[in-house]
Amino acid sequence: MRNISNYQTPNLEKLLEQKNILIENIEESKQVVNRHLKQIEGFNSKQAQDIWENIGATKNNVRTQEERIQRIEKEIEDLRQKANQLKRKREELSNQDKSTTSLNRQLKIAEGLQQATEELIDWFIDNRRKTIEKHTTNIHRQVTNKPDEYMAVKVKPDYTLGIENINSDIINPEEISAGEKEALSFAFISGLNLASETSAPLMMDTPFGHLDNTHQKNIVKSLPQIPSQVILLATDRDLPEFLLQELKPHVAQIFKVRRLGGNEDASVIEVEE
């Protein structure tokens, strides 16, 4: 494009001027010939021969000038065609530059949108993690038997858990008791349920096996606060009568599964009124 821009368009006006000068020279030469023809009348053969030689030289000069004019005309036509080709090429390159500029601009916009989208996704993921962390902490504070020691539950970016104590130290769940692990799991599952903003059913199978009385009472008290259906599967040992009585005001239906004749393969389901 730079080479085309630096290309100097041929001076057609100068060539045309040369052509006009040659045409004038031809006309003058023809006039000279005519004068010589008139002059040979009444001359002797020697004088006539000299005049004819001058006429021949003039005619040769005319032919030479005419051939030169033809070459100039052909050169002019070639230069015009070349100038038109260069003009079209320049226009094509100019259009390509415009397309390239437009594509580069669109590419920059697309890259910006991609970066904004990634940042938005990262923000949303982090925001949801913090929401889960908040709900999990609130529930864990309700069910733990160490509310004065455990201050918060931390949900890490890889969604592993840690418990922050009163000294701001993060305790690994592997370092706590089995009952505290179950309380932490209950808090996390409930936190996920609440953060989803969808009332998904929550099923708990023998949840009180490793819990002490404090943990059991705290979890039973927290169950009615979960805004979704809770299905609790428990044995008489997992759910003693005093806990059942505390739950009953919030229970829609109780089903009891009783084995027939002590047979593990036969049972009956009774609906408690």
Side-chain angles (χ1 to χ4, degrees):
M1 184 65 187
R2 187 182 297 110
N3 293 333
I4 293 175
S5 300
N6 295 332
Y7 176 77
Q8 300 294 326
T9 304
N11 193 339
L12 297 180
E13 292 183 359
K14 186 175 181 180
L15 291 174
L16 291 173
E17 183 180 351
Q18 293 178 4
K19 176 183 174 182
N20 292 332
I21 293 173
L22 291 173
I23 292 175
E24 292 177 357
N25 292 338
I26 290 172
E27 291 297 326
E28 292 179 357
S29 297
K30 287 182 178 179
Q31 291 176 5
V32 171
V33 170
N34 290 332
R35 286 197 301 272
H36 286 318
L37 289 174
K38 291 180 180 180
Q39 291 174 0
I40 64 174
E41 297 178 358
F43 285 85
N44 57 33
S45 58
K46 180 63 172 65
Q47 290 174 329
Q49 183 178 358
D50 291 340
I51 292 173
W52 277 112
E53 287 178 356
N54 289 333
I55 291 173
T58 302
K59 286 183 176 180
N60 288 334
N61 183 50
V62 169
R63 282 195 299 270
T64 300
Q65 298 295 331
E66 288 177 343
E67 291 174 357
R68 187 176 178 185
I69 288 174
Q70 291 176 356
R71 289 196 299 271
I72 290 175
E73 288 178 342
K74 186 176 186 305
E75 184 178 353
I76 290 173
E77 182 61 27
D78 292 342
L79 290 174
R80 282 176 176 168
Q81 292 180 1
K82 187 174 182 180
N84 290 333
Q85 291 175 355
L86 291 173
K87 182 180 179 181
R88 288 194 297 271
K89 187 66 175 179
R90 182 183 296 175
E91 290 175 352
E92 291 176 0
L93 293 176
S94 177
N95 291 332
Q96 290 178 2
D97 287 344
K98 292 178 181 178
S99 299
T100 302
T101 301
S102 177
L103 289 174
N104 288 335
R105 184 166 56 251
Q106 294 177 17
L107 178 60
K108 289 181 180 179
I109 293 174
E111 290 175 345
L113 289 174
Q114 180 183 5
Q115 181 178 356
T117 301
E118 291 175 351
E119 291 176 356
L120 179 61
I121 291 173
D122 291 340
W123 173 86
F124 183 79
I125 292 174
D126 188 63
N127 184 64
R128 300 310 297 171
R129 181 182 61 82
K130 290 180 179 178
T131 301
I132 294 170
E133 187 176 78
K134 177 182 177 181
H135 287 300
T136 302
T137 294
N138 291 338
I139 295 174
H140 188 259
R141 294 279 296 162
Q142 296 175 30
V143 302
T144 182
N145 61 355
K146 298 178 181 178
D148 296 330
E149 180 180 344
Y150 297 154
M151 297 292 102
V153 175
K154 295 298 179 181
V155 180
K156 301 176 184 178
D158 61 355
Y159 278 80
T160 56
L161 303 178
I163 302 176
E164 182 180 4
N165 64 15
I166 194 172
N167 298 320
S168 298
D169 297 325
I170 304 300
I171 302 174
N172 191 310
E174 296 300 323
E175 301 174 6
I176 60 179
S177 66
E180 289 175 329
K181 289 179 182 177
E182 289 194 9
L184 178 60
S185 299
F186 170 78
F188 182 57
I189 293 172
S190 300
L192 289 172
N193 193 305
L194 293 172
S196 69
E197 300 178 357
T198 302
S199 298
L202 176 63
M203 180 174 290
M204 303 174 64
D205 186 8
T206 58
F208 306 122
H210 300 285
L211 300 179
D212 57 24
N213 289 337
T214 302
H215 275 134
Q216 291 177 354
K217 291 178 181 179
N218 290 343
I219 289 180
V220 167
K221 289 179 181 179
S222 68
L223 286 176
Q225 301 179 32
I226 299 176
S228 63
Q229 183 184 34
V230 178
I231 301 173
L232 184 60
L233 305 177
T235 64
D236 294 341
R237 183 180 59 183
D238 293 323
L239 191 61
E241 186 64 25
F242 75 95
L243 290 178
L244 180 59
Q245 293 302 321
E246 190 166 343
L247 269 178
K248 272 190 174 181
H250 309 286
V251 173
Q253 189 65 65
I254 297 177
F255 298 90
K256 287 186 177 182
V257 180
R258 183 170 55 83
R259 292 179 179 173
L260 294 177
N263 188 344
E264 295 182 358
D265 298 326
S267 61
V268 62
I269 299 176
E270 300 175 348
V271 179
E272 184 173 309
E273 299 295 339

